[in-house]
Amino acid sequence: MHDYHIHTSLCKHAEGDINDYIESAMDKGITEICFTDHIPLPDGFDSEHRMSQKEFRIYLDKLETARLKYRQMTILTGIEADYIEGYENYLRDFLSNYTFDLVILSVHFIKKWTDKQWVFSYEYTDRTLMGQYKDYFDVLVKGIQTGLFDVVGHLDIIKRPNRPVLRSNSREVERVLNAVAKAGMCIELNTSGLRKHVKQLYPHMDIVEMAVEKGIPLVLASDAHRPDEVGDFFDDVLNELFQYPNLKLAQYRGRTYTTRTMGQPADE
Ligand code: ZN
Ligand code: FE
Ligand code: FE
Ligand code: ZN
């Protein structure tokens, strides 16, 4: 079992050092983890919630040290990279300058919205909710089409409680999934939504089902910001996933993946 979305205290809003997360993973029987702390951005953008360039190099060093210390754990190097319109060249340079196992595409900010308003902040812009959902998915499609990323992070993080995105914006969701399939990317099954007010997976299982039908592989992701959150709710989620015999889980190495099929042969 793997967990492919883990933060560390280097991003300034998570608790615990790399070693604390590794030990928590070992306690939970997870054998492969990918650290994906928040990428440094230019112009000091949102610098209070992410690594600086200097901290990013410390992050790489710490991962290297941890690999030597915890040989029984597979420790992958990842990054949660924000897609923000206008930063494509910066991202292309940054991502090509280092060696990663996996790069998560996350849309946390919409450029045309109020500056630095997180998409999940629940502060409403002057757009209708359906319009906000549309803005978000439009930016997500653009991000996917850049070809810069591997895995779509928390795909429907824009959703508000009791306002399912598929009810109002199924067409945009369909576009996102088609773009993912075309790009050969994977999507996360991110359990952090279960810890939040919305109390749902990112994305909703209905969207997971659509992804499975399109042959899109999944990865498991806790989005842990505290060591005890590693592998959060994975047992429940895995039980649900067994319902989908065609569901593929991806395993990443050096930004490429292999898949294995989740389902067991049906009893006959
Ligand atoms: Zn974070
Ligand atoms: Fe995120
Ligand atoms: Fe994250
Ligand atoms: Zn995240």
Side-chain angles (χ1 to χ4, degrees):
M1 189 153 72
H2 68 238
D3 186 344
Y4 277 177
H5 191 148
I6 296 177
H7 293 277
T8 79
S9 55
L10 284 169
C11 70
K12 308 171 182 79
H13 64 277
E15 289 166 31
D17 202 353
I18 283 173
N19 294 358
D20 302 324
Y21 286 89
I22 295 169
E23 282 172 26
S24 173
M26 290 194 305
D27 287 347
K28 295 182 179 182
I30 292 169
T31 52
E32 179 163 321
I33 55 179
C34 186
F35 284 92
T36 54
D37 220 349
H38 297 277
I39 192 172
L41 288 174
D43 318 318
F45 188 91
D46 189 46
S47 59
E48 59 276 33
H49 297 109
R50 56 192 63 253
M51 296 181 279
S52 64
Q53 299 285 346
K54 194 175 152 204
E55 285 158 337
F56 173 70
R57 280 184 287 273
I58 295 171
Y59 171 71
L60 295 181
D61 286 348
K62 285 189 171 200
L63 288 175
E64 210 44 59
T65 309
R67 267 182 212 109
L68 297 173
K69 180 170 177 194
Y70 298 97
R71 293 184 179 274
Q72 66 278 48
M73 178 69 69
T74 303
I75 302 168
L76 305 182
T77 302
I79 193 114
E80 180 171 9
D82 293 66
Y83 174 64
I84 300 175
E85 288 165 283
Y87 284 164
E88 292 85 352
N89 289 337
Y90 167 83
L91 290 168
R92 189 171 294 109
D93 284 350
F94 184 94
L95 296 173
S96 61
N97 278 339
Y98 303 95
T99 305
F100 293 104
D101 289 301
L102 181 162
V103 176
I104 298 176
L105 158 59
S106 288
V107 173
H108 293 133
F109 302 99
I110 310 278
K111 207 180 166 198
K112 70 177 181 187
W113 290 5
T114 324
D115 205 19
K116 302 217 184 144
Q117 179 183 306
W118 293 83
V119 292
F120 49 82
S121 67
Y122 293 26
E123 286 164 35
Y124 289 75
T125 65
D126 50 6
R127 301 275 278 140
T128 62
L129 194 59
M130 188 179 166
Q132 292 175 49
Y133 284 4
K134 184 175 188 315
D135 288 350
Y136 170 81
F137 289 122
D138 285 351
V139 173
L140 189 54
V141 168
K142 270 195 178 179
I144 292 162
Q145 289 173 341
T146 62
L148 293 171
F149 310 92
D150 305 315
V151 173
V152 174
H154 41 60
L155 187 144
D156 63 355
I157 195 168
I158 189 70
K159 67 187 168 193
R160 308 307 187 211
N162 308 314
R163 297 294 301 270
V165 295
L166 282 178
R167 194 188 298 159
S168 52
N169 296 73
S170 63
R171 214 176 326 139
E172 283 84 23
V173 173
E174 188 81 35
R175 280 184 59 221
V176 168
L177 295 177
N178 289 339
V180 170
K182 192 168 173 209
M185 292 171 65
C186 299
I187 67 173
E188 275 187 342
L189 214 73
N190 185 313
T191 57
S192 70
L194 296 169
R195 299 194 294 266
K196 296 191 186 152
H197 188 44
V198 69
K199 294 272 180 299
Q200 277 178 19
L201 284 169
Y202 299 130
H204 191 282
M205 278 311 283
D206 293 347
I207 298 176
V208 172
E209 213 165 301
M210 292 163 68
V212 171
E213 276 164 28
K214 293 178 191 292
I216 298 168
L218 305 180
V219 302
L220 300 178
S222 68
D223 211 341
H225 283 72
R226 287 185 357 206
D228 63 294
E229 292 171 349
V230 174
D232 222 8
F233 302 104
F234 279 17
D235 289 343
D236 303 343
V237 168
L238 284 167
N239 277 332
E240 267 195 77
L241 296 188
F242 278 117
Q243 293 174 43
Y244 303 97
N246 299 325
L247 189 149
K248 288 182 282 184
L249 281 182
Q251 181 174 50
Y252 271 85
R253 292 287 185 276
R255 305 200 62 185
T256 62
Y257 63 86
T258 53
T259 60
R260 66 191 155 91
T261 303
M262 184 78 203
Q264 293 158 329
D267 311 2
E268 260 162 56

